[in-house]
Amino acid sequence: MAISYKKLWKLLIDKDMKKKDLQAAAGISSASVAKNENVNTEVLQKVCTALNCDIGDIMEMIPQDNE
C-alpha cells in the first residue's frame, strides 16, 4: 500500500489555495508539502486544523501494482 495525497491537492484547488497558502496557514515548511515525501503526524494534524478537515479528507491508502 502507498499513501496518496491527491485528495489534499484537490481540496486546495476547491478552497482556491496554493501550497504556499497552506504552508502559511498551517505553519509548516515547504518540504512538508512536497510530493512523495514522508510526512509526520504532527504536520498532518496542522494541515487538517488549517483546512478544518479530517485526515481522510487529505490522504488515502492505495494498493500498489505488485501487491
Side-chain angles (χ1 to χ4, degrees):
M1 298 291 264
I3 296 175
S4 170
Y5 293 100
K6 287 182 181 180
K7 287 183 169 187
L8 172 59
W9 312 135
K10 183 181 181 324
L11 186 59
L12 289 180
I13 291 168
D14 292 346
K15 292 183 175 276
D16 196 29
M17 292 178 73
K18 298 183 186 307
K19 289 180 185 179
K20 65 179 180 177
D21 299 326
L22 176 60
Q23 291 170 16
I28 57 176
S29 69
S30 60
S32 295
V33 294
K35 289 187 177 181
N36 300 323
E37 296 292 325
N38 291 330
V39 180
N40 69 41
T41 53
E42 182 181 349
V43 170
L44 294 173
Q45 182 180 14
K46 288 179 179 182
V47 168
C48 288
T49 299
L51 297 177
N52 193 30
C53 68
D54 191 72
I55 193 77
D57 297 328
I58 64 169
M59 61 185 285
E60 65 184 334
M61 296 294 293
I62 56 171
Q64 292 181 318
D65 294 336
N66 61 354
E67 291 187 279

